[in-house]
Amino acid sequence: MYELRNVTKLYTRGKDTVRALDGIDLTIADGDRLVIQGPTGGGKSTLLQMLGGLDRPTSGEVVLDGTDLAKLSESKLTRVRSENIGFVFQSFNLIPTLTAQENVETALVPLGVKTKERRERAAEALTSVGLGERLGHLPGEMSGGQQQRVAIARALVKQPKVLLADEPTGNLDEGMRDEIMDVLESMWKEHGLTFIMVTHDSAIAKKAPRLATIRKGKITVKENAGA
Ligand SMILES: Nc1ncnc2c1ncn2[C@@H]1O[C@H](COP(=O)(O)OP(=O)(O)O)[C@@H](O)[C@H]1O
Ligand SMILES: [Mg+2]
């Protein structure tokens, strides 16, 4: 469970200060699915970075299961991240010289998983996203949708509690978008994840049980009982 209290993030560049997040209060329960929308530059990616412990707030608390991520040492934060949090980005962020299997395995290296188990779990994760036949392929040999599936397998192979996705379908054409959304949806259901996703797709937003809008660093959350 996440509890964010008065989270503010300032970026300073020369004399200019950008208030990317401005006093965010937000609670996200375990197993929740939260969709985040809002205009470009509103603070969506910054909020995901706070939730994922990729960066720290200027002030405020980002409490995950009782631990304030803002106060953790760098090494403890890295550990929380590699054990508990899976990321999927718009730009798949795969390593071009590694096969699908090897890309997925990279997520298990920091956890000290032995080679044989790493291979098995990576193959299993790739099979679960429909890529069991593509283990040995390089990212350049796969379509955008397939590459994003590899990224999803990499995010989930460590069995995280939380999945964060920042515009995961932003680089895909329409047909692939639905396909990737279906994969994410079924992973969320299957694994009981807490799933937080930034998307511009209004069809998805309409169906979201909980929809957050971020504008100029401020958040509003709408519960949609009918979804
Ligand atoms: N590393 C950074 N350095 C300076 N300004 C940044 C940085 N990251 C984001 N910003 C600024 O913070 C604001 C929010 O950005 P962002 O969270 O990326 O918005 P969104 O994802 O909603 O488009 C924007 O004004 C952006 O220019
Ligand atoms: Mg963004």
Side-chain angles (χ1 to χ4, degrees), residues 11 13 18 20 38-47 166-167:
Y11 290 113
R13 218 184 256 155
V18 175
T40 302
K44 303 181 297 294
S45 295
T46 305
L47 178 62
D166 196 348
E167 304 191 34

Side-chain angles (χ1 to χ4, degrees), residues 32-223:
D32 235 357
R33 187 181 58 160
L34 178 70
V35 173
I36 301 175
Q37 281 205 311
T40 302
K44 303 181 297 294
S45 295
T46 305
L47 178 62
L48 278 204
Q49 281 172 0
M50 301 298 133
L51 292 170
L54 289 170
D55 199 356
R56 294 163 199 277
T58 307
S59 61
E61 297 175 6
V62 180
V63 180
L64 174 61
D65 298 336
T67 302
D68 184 0
L69 302 184
K71 291 202 183 67
L72 284 186
S73 68
E74 203 54 49
S75 61
K76 287 201 174 124
L77 190 59
T78 302
R79 187 164 187 90
V80 167
R81 222 168 35 219
S82 52
E83 285 178 356
N84 299 305
I85 303 171
F87 294 93
V88 178
F89 300 97
Q90 177 173 357
S91 53
F92 323 120
N93 292 4
L94 300 177
I95 301 172
T97 52
L98 299 185
T99 64
Q101 160 109 32
E102 290 163 344
N103 265 287
V104 174
E105 280 186 44
T106 60
L108 296 175
V109 173
L111 301 180
V113 178
K114 299 264 178 353
T115 313
K116 182 165 174 281
E117 188 187 337
R118 237 166 41 210
R119 288 215 180 104
E120 287 167 3
R121 282 173 64 178
E124 222 172 274
L126 283 161
T127 303
S128 77
V129 296
L131 288 180
E133 315 284 292
R134 296 280 191 281
L135 304 183
H137 286 228
L138 295 169
E141 299 166 347
M142 289 184 278
S143 72
Q146 287 172 333
Q147 290 182 59
Q148 193 60 305
R149 284 167 188 259
V150 176
I152 293 168
R154 180 184 55 187
L156 294 178
V157 70
K158 60 190 172 192
Q159 300 177 308
K161 283 198 60 170
V162 177
L163 177 63
L164 302 175
D166 196 348
E167 304 191 34
T169 60
N171 273 350
L172 303 174
D173 59 40
E174 212 166 313
M176 295 229 188
R177 252 179 254 163
D178 294 345
E179 202 184 285
I180 290 299
M181 283 316 309
D182 288 347
V183 172
L184 287 168
E185 179 98 355
S186 64
M187 292 292 137
W188 168 63
K189 285 194 180 134
E190 227 167 89
H191 296 272
L193 297 158
T194 305
F195 179 27
I196 302 159
M197 175 173 59
V198 173
T199 180
H200 286 298
D201 193 326
S202 49
I204 292 160
K206 245 183 250 157
K207 285 194 297 181
R210 226 178 153 214
L211 177 64
T213 306
I214 302 186
R215 256 193 202 94
K216 294 185 181 163
K218 294 195 189 281
I219 194 169
T220 48
V221 180
K222 239 179 28 198
E223 316 286 337

